[in-house]
């Protein structure tokens, strides 16, 4: 039996207003109760399960979702799972036992939550899969995320820009290389890692085929490139190993595809330890616009990152959750499109709301990240929240 929480028209209006307010909160918003709820959905509780606090984006995501829901009069149980699968399962079990009406989950391992989700379904709890697709279950309602294939395309495009092969519009500049590049992927248990990789490889493949790009290590398979749990230290170790194995002959790595800022920082440390220094630092890509990486981009040590506005994703999750609780079909917001073809979770194609991402380079940090209130100039300058 599905629970229904009835929202009045006033609640809908209040949602629109508070989502707009929520968008101004910045990446470091505290998630404090903002009040102003219409009271129409009073008493509802939403469990929000985020993977980890080691990456600031998930803290920003969790806080923004909490703030958006609290503005609607919901009680929010926000938990972070320390990147530990049993911890996340346990936290969700507890949310279900405590009688939440709805769940919003960014899974650590997309396949590890089947029994929790069965219990949620049996209890009539709606489930939104947040940013990462939950796989191998019929018991999720919707998926909110970014266009993950496109994120991979953007990462690879920025690498090609960094190498001087294409300009920012993707126009060929005629460089023939050959350029030595190395490739990194995310955690294989995260569905996103495969989408980022596919988008990137499809973009790089013509240049790998023509010999403009050369992966000297020969490690061109996602299973070789993957970094479990997206860990910085593991990425640093792999980069060190690659440098030892493929570049001890005096040759240099000239660019690195990285799918996430934490991984990028590991790669950059390994390169610095091996003597790479400005002004000849190879372009390293990234994702998430983490503040420490934004500083590195300012300094020229990281070349690019992909900005995914967590405030907008949080708005999306709140809006879908409210619709589900009201027994309505969720509608896209001004920021999203509904996709009913792409995200097959192994059991069904999960209806998904997709947002757009942007490539950040040193010269658009201000327009993308500061002018939009995501970070303050001071945070960018200090590289800290
Ligand atoms: C992915 C997410 C990325 C990045 C990564 C590591 O699922 O889409 O934006 O955050 O996890 O946390």
């Amino acid at each position: 039996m599905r629970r229904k929480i009835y929202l009045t028209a006033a609640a809908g209006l209040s949602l629109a207003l508070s989502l707009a307010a929520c968008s101004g909160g910045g990446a470091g918003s505290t998630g404090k109760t903002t009040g102003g709820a219409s009271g129409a959905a009073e008493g509802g509780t939403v469990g929000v399960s985020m993977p980890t606090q080691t990456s600031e984006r998930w803290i920003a995501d969790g806080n923004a979702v909490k703030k958006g829901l609290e503005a609607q009069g919901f009680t929010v149980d926000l938990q972070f799972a320390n990147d530990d699968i049993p911890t996340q399962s346990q936290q969700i079990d507890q949310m279900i036992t405590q009688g939440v009406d709805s769940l919003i989950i960014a899974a650590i391992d997309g396949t590890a939550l089947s029994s929790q989700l069965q219990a949620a379904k049996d209890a009539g709890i709606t489930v939104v899969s947040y940013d990462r697709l939950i796989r191998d279950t019929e018991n999720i309602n919707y998926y909110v995320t970014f266009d993950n294939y496109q994120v991979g395309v953007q990462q690879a495009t920025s690498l090609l820009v960094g190498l001087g092969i294409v300009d920012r519009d993707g126009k060929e500049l005629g460089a023939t290389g050959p350029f030595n590049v190395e490739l990194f992927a995310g955690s294989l248990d995260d569905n996103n890692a495969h989408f980022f990789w596919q988008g990137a490889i499809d973009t790089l493949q013509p240049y790998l085929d023509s010999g403009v790009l050369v992966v000297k290590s020969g490690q061109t398979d996602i299973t070789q490139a993957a970094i479990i749990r997206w860990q910085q230290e593991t990425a640093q170790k792999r980069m060190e190993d690659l440098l030892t194995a493929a570049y001890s002959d005096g040759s240099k790595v000239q660019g690195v595809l990285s799918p996430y800022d934490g991984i990028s920082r590991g790669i950059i440390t390994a390169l610095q330890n091996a003597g790479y220094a400005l002004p000849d630092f190879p372009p390293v890509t990234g994702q998430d616009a983490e503040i420490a990486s934004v500083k590195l981009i300012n300094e020229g040590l990281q070349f690019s990152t992909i900005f995914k506005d967590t405030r907008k994703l949080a708005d999306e999750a709140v809006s879908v959750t409210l619709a589900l609780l009201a027994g309505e079909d969720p509608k896209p917001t001004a920021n999203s499109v509904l996709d009913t073809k792409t995200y097959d979770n192994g059991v069904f194609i999960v209806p998904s709301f997709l947002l757009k991402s942007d490539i950040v380079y040193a010269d658009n940090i201000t327009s993308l990240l500061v002018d939009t209130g995501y970070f303050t100039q001071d945070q960018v300058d200090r590289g800290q929240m």
Side-chain angles (χ1 to χ4, degrees):
M1 192 191 56
R2 181 148 328 282
R3 295 172 212 196
K4 248 191 198 183
I5 293 185
Y6 292 95
L7 299 172
T8 61
L13 178 64
S14 138
L15 167 66
L17 292 175
S18 72
L19 287 182
C22 179
S23 294
S29 4
T30 57
K32 281 194 201 122
T33 304
T34 51
S38 67
E42 224 172 311
T45 304
V46 181
V48 180
S49 172
M50 293 285 144
T52 179
Q53 279 176 302
T54 57
S55 154
E56 89 216 8
R57 78 147 286 188
W58 297 115
I59 302 175
D61 284 286
N63 286 339
V65 171
K66 184 168 190 277
K67 187 175 168 186
L69 287 166
E70 286 179 344
Q72 294 303 312
F74 286 87
T75 302
V76 177
D77 183 2
L78 169 61
Q79 303 284 341
F80 295 89
N82 214 8
D83 256 342
D84 182 56
I85 297 164
T87 302
Q88 185 164 46
S89 308
Q90 216 171 49
Q91 288 173 339
I92 295 172
D93 276 335
Q94 223 162 55
M95 290 170 181
I96 295 169
T97 312
Q98 282 165 8
V100 296
D101 299 289
S102 193
L103 286 165
I104 296 174
I105 302 172
I108 298 166
D109 177 333
T111 61
L113 295 171
S114 296
S115 73
Q116 281 71 30
L117 295 171
Q118 187 58 53
K121 168 82 176 183
D122 296 344
I125 297 167
T126 62
V127 179
V128 174
S129 182
Y130 188 91
D131 197 48
R132 299 174 170 176
L133 183 64
I134 299 177
R135 295 187 50 86
D136 301 344
T137 177
E138 59 182 346
N139 300 321
I140 55 174
N141 298 85
Y142 275 84
Y143 178 36
V144 297
T145 190
F146 292 80
D147 184 336
N148 293 306
Y149 179 86
Q150 195 54 32
V151 168
V153 171
Q154 289 175 324
Q155 289 169 333
T157 302
S158 71
L159 179 63
L160 295 173
V161 170
L163 290 167
I165 295 172
V166 301
D167 70 13
R168 290 189 190 184
D169 299 323
K171 198 175 129 254
E172 301 275 344
L173 298 174
T176 52
F179 298 102
N180 295 327
V181 295
E182 294 297 336
L183 312 175
F184 282 69
S187 197
L188 292 177
D189 53 7
D190 180 343
N191 195 60
N192 285 349
H194 301 268
F195 274 78
F196 302 150
W197 178 262
Q198 203 52 54
I201 292 301
D202 287 352
T203 308
L204 299 180
Q205 198 62 52
Y207 302 98
L208 292 165
D209 290 344
S210 68
V212 172
L213 298 180
V214 176
V215 181
K216 246 184 131 220
S217 68
Q219 299 196 7
T220 54
D221 194 272
I222 188 171
T223 56
Q224 298 169 306
I227 300 296
I228 183 77
R229 295 284 108 75
W230 307 85
Q231 270 168 5
Q232 178 167 338
E233 303 70 29
T234 312
Q236 181 179 334
K237 172 79 172 56
R238 174 164 185 260
M239 189 71 232
E240 286 165 358
D241 291 347
L242 291 173
L243 289 172
T244 308
Y247 299 90
S248 297
D249 58 0
S251 60
K252 295 275 182 203
V253 63
Q254 289 160 292
V256 185
L257 175 80
S258 165
Y260 158 60
D261 287 345
I263 290 178
S264 314
R265 292 195 294 275
I267 293 166
I268 289 166
T269 304
L271 289 169
Q272 287 179 310
N273 290 346
Y276 288 76
L278 288 169
D280 287 324
F281 210 78
V284 179
T285 66
Q287 175 172 205
D288 283 353
E290 292 200 334
I291 194 69
S293 286
V294 173
K295 182 157 187 281
L296 290 174
I297 293 173
N298 244 337
E299 293 166 353
L301 285 167
Q302 186 169 322
F303 184 70
S304 60
T305 187
I306 307 301
F307 174 44
K308 306 200 306 190
D309 194 331
T310 51
R311 297 169 299 187
K312 291 185 180 158
L313 187 59
D315 285 358
E316 209 67 32
V318 171
S319 146
V320 172
T321 298
L322 286 179
L324 290 172
L325 287 175
E328 292 163 4
D329 283 340
K331 303 268 184 310
T333 66
N335 299 316
S336 67
V337 292
L338 176 62
D339 178 307
T340 53
K341 297 198 176 100
T342 308
Y343 289 98
D344 186 342
N345 82 340
V347 176
F348 76 116
I349 298 180
V350 184
S352 308
F353 291 107
L354 306 187
L355 300 164
K356 284 204 188 106
S357 51
D358 291 295
I359 306 178
V360 179
Y361 298 104
D363 64 6
N364 64 7
I365 289 174
T366 306
S367 60
L368 284 175
L369 302 175
V370 180
D371 293 350
T372 62
Y374 197 71
F375 294 132
T376 63
Q377 187 62 50
D378 181 55
Q379 288 169 333
V380 169
D381 293 341
R382 287 185 296 108
Q384 275 174 12
M385 295 303 288

